[in-house]
Each structure stands twice: as C-alpha cells, then as structure tokens.
Amino acid sequence: MALKGVINHGVTQTASRPSVGLQDEVFNAVVRIAAQERLIGALAQSHVSGSLPLLPAQRYQLRNHHTTAQAHALALERQLVMISKAYEDAEIDFRVLKGMALAHLVYPDPSWRTFADVDILVPSHQLQAAVAIATERFGGTQPVPELRPGFAQEFGKESMVRIGRTEIDLHRTFVAGPFGLSIPLDELFQDATTIEIGGRQMQALGRHHLFLHACYNVALGDHPVRRGSVRDLLLCHKELDGDLETVITIAKRWGGIAVLQRAGKLALEVAGIEGARGLEVLAQLAVPRHQAFLMRSYLAPGRSYTRQLASLAVIPGIGPRLRYARAMLLPSREYLNSRGCTTRSHVKRALVRLRHHD
Amino acid sequence: MTDQISDDTIVCRDPDTLWRHVLDGLLVLAPQMEEPIEISTPGDVVWQLLDEPMAIGDLVHTLAMRFGEATSAIQPDVNDLLHALLAAGAIRVVR
C-alpha cells in the first residue's frame, strides 16, 4: 500500500491523504524495495509533501539514501555535460534518454528522480564514432565488447562504456530483440524536446517518442517490471501533453502494439485504476497474433536467447539474417573471453536455456 | 577576489554549476569541484535567491525580512557562505 501511494504520488487528481506512519520493520522494507526500484526520489518527494510522515530515525535513513543518490546523479550529469560537448563538436546527433531526460521533463523537480547511469541515443551510423569518443577522449573502457565487429551498429541495442565510476549506455534502439529491431530508428531523430542541464541545452526525444520509450521500458525492461519505470510512464502520460491516438498510430507503424498493450496492463496492475487512469485504452488494444508470438519471446524463462531467435523473424534480407545468426552462434574471441566462455560452452548454455523454455 | 566583496557586490550562480535538492538543503557541484558540497537549510534560500544576479546587501536584507532577523545578525553567516561558494566556483561576481 505504501509503495503504491509513492508510485502514484503527484499523478492522481485526488490529494494524497497522509498515512499514519510506518513501523520500522515496514519502513525498512519499503526503503529497501524503493532503492531497488528507483523510487528513493519518489519516497523523498512523498515525505516532503507531507504524505509520508516519518520518525526521526526513519527520516535520517531516507535522507542518507536520497543524498547519496543525488550526489551520484550530479556526477552523472557532469559526465553528460562533458560528453555532450564532445559529441556536438563531432556533429554527432544524440538524444538524452530515460531517467536523465525524464527527471527534467516530467518530474516536478529533478531531485525526485534517481538514476544509475547516463543513457544517450545515437544514430546507428554514428554509434562507432560515439563509442570512440567515449573511450579515446575520456579514457573509457568497454568491459564487454560487441558480439562480432559491426554487430552493435547493425543489430545492437546499446554499447556500454565505463568512464571512471560512471556507466555510459550509448543506445541504438529502445530494447534488444525483435521489438527493438523493428523500430524505424531514423524517426527518433526527427523530433526533439529541449532540456537544460548544467547550463547547456540538450535534446531529449520528442514527446510521443518519450511516451513510447516509457512504454517499451515498462513492457520489455526489467522482469518483473520495475515500479520506478511504471511511475515514469504515469508521469509521461500526465505531463507530456501527447495524445494516445498518435502514440497508437506510431506503434502500429513500428509493429509495437503488443508493447503498448503490455505496458498499459502492467501500469494498471502496479498503480491501480486510479493511478493509471487513461492507460486502460492501451491495455485494451487488440494484439496481432505475430506480435503476441514475439512478445512471448521476451517473457520466457530463457528470454535472453528466445528473443534473439525471434529477432530472425523481423530482420529483413538473407544477408543480415545470416550475419545476425553467425554473431549469435560464433561470437568473437574477445567477447567470449570477456564472459569467461568458449564457443562450445556458449552454444551449450544457449541450448540448455532454450530447451527449458516453456 | 573573495576578500573584496561588499554590500554593493553583485553575485549570481555560476550557470555551469549543477545542483539538486536533498531533504535538508541542497547539493551543489561546481565544475572544478571533486565532490558536491551540501548547503543546509536555511542556507539553501541563498542559493535560490541567487538564481538572478543580486547585490549582497539586497540579499542580506531579503533574508532578514524572510526570517524576521536583524541584518546585522545574519550578515556574518551569509558572508561566510558566500565566501565558501565563491571559493568553490559555485557563484561568481558579476560586478
């Protein structure tokens, strides 16, 4: 109950009624879950607004969690400012993604949204250049190389670069697997919303794409769904002044109706009818059969492998399909070494996971 | 520079400085700082007021009115905070 109130705080029209306070055991569990689910900021917001009265020791504990999270957020924003300058100089078109963008766009104060890394979307043809700048200019490293040379630029979801203590996720698309591969990526750069961080103006996705990305995160991100992602979606719906008809039209073109339907359904489950009001339209969408098949690949126990297999169904052309399959079956030695695998153990593990797939 | 401020000195936030609210004030991270500094309530009000350039004398007067204190009572604390923020590069002298 306490967490549902936190997720819906500032979303529902009815004023939040102050709770009577939480016993220590309950509060400790709430904080633990909030930290895992990126809701520490929302917890702090609820307390500051008077919706969540706390005992002094509880407040102190929350204060420490929130201050640590905000210090990390500042370090990440500093990293974003530095890398954004380099990308602008190199004429790399980019969009700030996820928590860093949403904190400044749909949250009443950026301090009420915590995040763990820097997420940036770059065009596919500029991904290698973006990675090179992050590694060569900023001393970044790639703990996990791409599956095979060229895979990230053609099929990948993202390339991760670690710069000191910060993680920079350079995204090519919203999600791995077939639903990420079927997004016409050029569309994501046709529109933008401006945000300001550290005195610099930067671009985030356009409002309808922001909402869609929030849906993709809820539907296909963490499994089970992260409550913080649901809160993002609720606030996007409330604050972005988009219209669901346009969002649904875009999703139809992307082959992503199943994604919207699942996002709406999960939002209702987590936030309830009151919190997710308006999103029942998405939950009621009729999902085409082939999209339902693709969606199952994301939900199966061996989903990291089943969605790779399902990706073959959406990749156009024999050449790209062969390249994709080859990368899956025969990753590079550098990739295998980073995972502590051999080709044989890599294939064996995949077969075991697929065999246990429902 | 930090020794030369007076009531007529106009200061404002450094636009490249990042900051966020925390439960008991603010965290501020200026470009040359390694780690953020925390400005506790009610010092965070100074930060809010310096969103636009403001003469130090006007700043002290506004704070005195807001908190119902004499300007002479709060001036030393405000000066200390401003010196610290100037040294950190989080605020700068406009003129």
Side-chain angles (χ1 to χ4, degrees), chain A residues 183-204:
Chain A
I183 296 174
L185 299 175
D186 288 346
E187 280 189 29
L188 301 178
F189 295 91
Q190 288 168 6
D191 195 9
T193 311
T194 302
I195 55 175
E196 185 172 312
I197 297 176
R200 289 185 68 77
Q201 296 212 323
M202 302 180 208
Q203 294 189 317

Tab-separated table of all heavy atoms in Angstrom, chain A residues 183-204:
chain	number	residue	atom	x	y	z
A	183	ILE	N	11.873	-0.989	-34.883
A	183	ILE	CA	11.648	0.457	-34.801
A	183	ILE	C	12.410	1.136	-35.938
A	183	ILE	O	13.601	0.901	-36.099
A	183	ILE	CB	12.140	1.029	-33.459
A	183	ILE	CG1	11.330	0.445	-32.292
A	183	ILE	CG2	12.051	2.556	-33.438
A	183	ILE	CD1	11.853	0.851	-30.923
A	184	PRO	N	11.731	1.992	-36.742
A	184	PRO	CA	12.464	2.758	-37.767
A	184	PRO	C	13.259	3.867	-37.073
A	184	PRO	O	12.727	4.915	-36.732
A	184	PRO	CB	11.352	3.323	-38.657
A	184	PRO	CG	10.067	3.085	-37.947
A	184	PRO	CD	10.298	2.289	-36.728
A	185	LEU	N	14.529	3.617	-36.856
A	185	LEU	CA	15.311	4.428	-35.929
A	185	LEU	C	15.468	5.882	-36.389
A	185	LEU	O	15.611	6.772	-35.560
A	185	LEU	CB	16.687	3.784	-35.709
A	185	LEU	CG	16.613	2.374	-35.103
A	185	LEU	CD1	18.005	1.750	-35.019
A	185	LEU	CD2	15.997	2.405	-33.711
A	186	ASP	N	15.475	6.107	-37.684
A	186	ASP	CA	15.601	7.489	-38.171
A	186	ASP	C	14.490	8.384	-37.614
A	186	ASP	O	14.699	9.580	-37.400
A	186	ASP	CB	15.556	7.530	-39.696
A	186	ASP	CG	16.823	6.965	-40.308
A	186	ASP	OD1	17.810	6.797	-39.564
A	186	ASP	OD2	16.829	6.701	-41.523
A	187	GLU	N	13.320	7.803	-37.399
A	187	GLU	CA	12.182	8.587	-36.894
A	187	GLU	C	12.492	9.218	-35.547
A	187	GLU	O	11.977	10.291	-35.225
A	187	GLU	CB	10.955	7.676	-36.719
A	187	GLU	CG	10.206	7.390	-37.993
A	187	GLU	CD	8.896	6.668	-37.740
A	187	GLU	OE1	8.301	6.854	-36.646
A	187	GLU	OE2	8.463	5.934	-38.642
A	188	LEU	N	13.315	8.547	-34.751
A	188	LEU	CA	13.580	9.025	-33.391
A	188	LEU	C	14.343	10.351	-33.387
A	188	LEU	O	14.375	11.050	-32.374
A	188	LEU	CB	14.365	7.975	-32.601
A	188	LEU	CG	13.684	6.613	-32.466
A	188	LEU	CD1	14.583	5.635	-31.715
A	188	LEU	CD2	12.348	6.740	-31.744
A	189	PHE	N	14.957	10.676	-34.526
A	189	PHE	CA	15.751	11.910	-34.593
A	189	PHE	C	15.041	13.015	-35.375
A	189	PHE	O	15.623	14.067	-35.632
A	189	PHE	CB	17.126	11.606	-35.210
A	189	PHE	CG	17.939	10.685	-34.352
A	189	PHE	CD1	17.871	9.311	-34.530
A	189	PHE	CD2	18.742	11.191	-33.347
A	189	PHE	CE1	18.602	8.455	-33.708
A	189	PHE	CE2	19.479	10.343	-32.523
A	189	PHE	CZ	19.392	8.976	-32.705
A	190	GLN	N	13.778	12.779	-35.739
A	190	GLN	CA	13.039	13.791	-36.487
A	190	GLN	C	12.375	14.804	-35.569
A	190	GLN	O	11.887	15.837	-36.007
A	190	GLN	CB	11.981	13.112	-37.372
A	190	GLN	CG	12.588	12.383	-38.549
A	190	GLN	CD	11.581	11.484	-39.262
A	190	GLN	OE1	10.391	11.476	-38.942
A	190	GLN	NE2	12.068	10.709	-40.219
A	191	ASP	N	12.366	14.491	-34.294
A	191	ASP	CA	11.684	15.356	-33.337
A	191	ASP	C	12.549	15.432	-32.086
A	191	ASP	O	13.403	14.573	-31.856
A	191	ASP	CB	10.304	14.760	-33.012
A	191	ASP	CG	9.393	15.753	-32.332
A	191	ASP	OD1	9.768	16.948	-32.262
A	191	ASP	OD2	8.323	15.351	-31.867
A	192	ALA	N	12.332	16.464	-31.266
A	192	ALA	CA	13.139	16.600	-30.049
A	192	ALA	C	12.425	17.469	-29.036
A	192	ALA	O	11.536	18.265	-29.382
A	192	ALA	CB	14.504	17.208	-30.371
A	193	THR	N	12.799	17.287	-27.782
A	193	THR	CA	12.359	18.155	-26.696
A	193	THR	C	13.620	18.687	-26.037
A	193	THR	O	14.562	17.923	-25.809
A	193	THR	CB	11.545	17.352	-25.661
A	193	THR	OG1	10.560	16.581	-26.330
A	193	THR	CG2	10.868	18.277	-24.675
A	194	THR	N	13.653	19.984	-25.746
A	194	THR	CA	14.872	20.570	-25.189
A	194	THR	C	14.870	20.489	-23.666
A	194	THR	O	13.853	20.748	-23.017
A	194	THR	CB	14.980	22.045	-25.606
A	194	THR	OG1	14.977	22.104	-27.029
A	194	THR	CG2	16.289	22.658	-25.112
A	195	ILE	N	16.014	20.102	-23.106
A	195	ILE	CA	16.208	20.153	-21.648
A	195	ILE	C	17.476	20.944	-21.382
A	195	ILE	O	18.321	21.097	-22.271
A	195	ILE	CB	16.320	18.735	-21.032
A	195	ILE	CG1	17.436	17.914	-21.699
A	195	ILE	CG2	15.009	17.999	-21.122
A	195	ILE	CD1	17.679	16.551	-21.066
A	196	GLU	N	17.596	21.437	-20.153
A	196	GLU	CA	18.799	22.179	-19.788
A	196	GLU	C	19.450	21.506	-18.588
A	196	GLU	O	18.798	21.277	-17.563
A	196	GLU	CB	18.465	23.635	-19.446
A	196	GLU	CG	19.724	24.466	-19.191
A	196	GLU	CD	19.452	25.944	-19.051
A	196	GLU	OE1	18.736	26.500	-19.897
A	196	GLU	OE2	19.948	26.530	-18.065
A	197	ILE	N	20.717	21.165	-18.749
A	197	ILE	CA	21.480	20.541	-17.661
A	197	ILE	C	22.826	21.249	-17.572
A	197	ILE	O	23.539	21.350	-18.578
A	197	ILE	CB	21.685	19.024	-17.913
A	197	ILE	CG1	20.332	18.302	-17.950
A	197	ILE	CG2	22.572	18.412	-16.840
A	197	ILE	CD1	20.418	16.818	-18.292
A	198	GLY	N	23.145	21.743	-16.393
A	198	GLY	CA	24.433	22.407	-16.197
A	198	GLY	C	24.655	23.569	-17.139
A	198	GLY	O	25.752	23.768	-17.649
A	199	GLY	N	23.607	24.324	-17.393
A	199	GLY	CA	23.729	25.493	-18.262
A	199	GLY	C	23.761	25.167	-19.746
A	199	GLY	O	23.874	26.076	-20.566
A	200	ARG	N	23.697	23.907	-20.093
A	200	ARG	CA	23.718	23.528	-21.504
A	200	ARG	C	22.341	23.034	-21.938
A	200	ARG	O	21.699	22.263	-21.230
A	200	ARG	CB	24.717	22.399	-21.746
A	200	ARG	CG	26.156	22.816	-21.639
A	200	ARG	CD	27.047	21.658	-22.016
A	200	ARG	NE	26.966	21.313	-23.428
A	200	ARG	CZ	27.544	21.985	-24.409
A	200	ARG	NH1	28.247	23.064	-24.152
A	200	ARG	NH2	27.433	21.599	-25.662
A	201	GLN	N	21.947	23.465	-23.125
A	201	GLN	CA	20.700	22.942	-23.693
A	201	GLN	C	21.025	21.678	-24.474
A	201	GLN	O	21.976	21.642	-25.276
A	201	GLN	CB	20.081	23.984	-24.615
A	201	GLN	CG	19.663	25.236	-23.841
A	201	GLN	CD	18.445	25.883	-24.439
A	201	GLN	OE1	18.317	25.898	-25.664
A	201	GLN	NE2	17.560	26.413	-23.616
A	202	MET	N	20.241	20.635	-24.214
A	202	MET	CA	20.438	19.371	-24.924
A	202	MET	C	19.079	18.885	-25.385
A	202	MET	O	18.040	19.408	-24.972
A	202	MET	CB	21.032	18.316	-23.992
A	202	MET	CG	22.341	18.694	-23.369
A	202	MET	SD	22.943	17.385	-22.294
A	202	MET	CE	23.876	18.371	-21.146
A	203	GLN	N	19.118	17.853	-26.198
A	203	GLN	CA	17.863	17.344	-26.735
A	203	GLN	C	17.523	15.977	-26.178
A	203	GLN	O	18.385	15.093	-26.071
A	203	GLN	CB	17.943	17.291	-28.261
A	203	GLN	CG	18.040	18.698	-28.865
A	203	GLN	CD	17.896	18.694	-30.368
A	203	GLN	OE1	18.456	17.856	-31.052
A	203	GLN	NE2	17.146	19.643	-30.895
A	204	ALA	N	16.263	15.843	-25.826
A	204	ALA	CA	15.694	14.542	-25.489
A	204	ALA	C	14.762	14.165	-26.636
A	204	ALA	O	14.599	14.930	-27.599
A	204	ALA	CB	14.934	14.628	-24.169
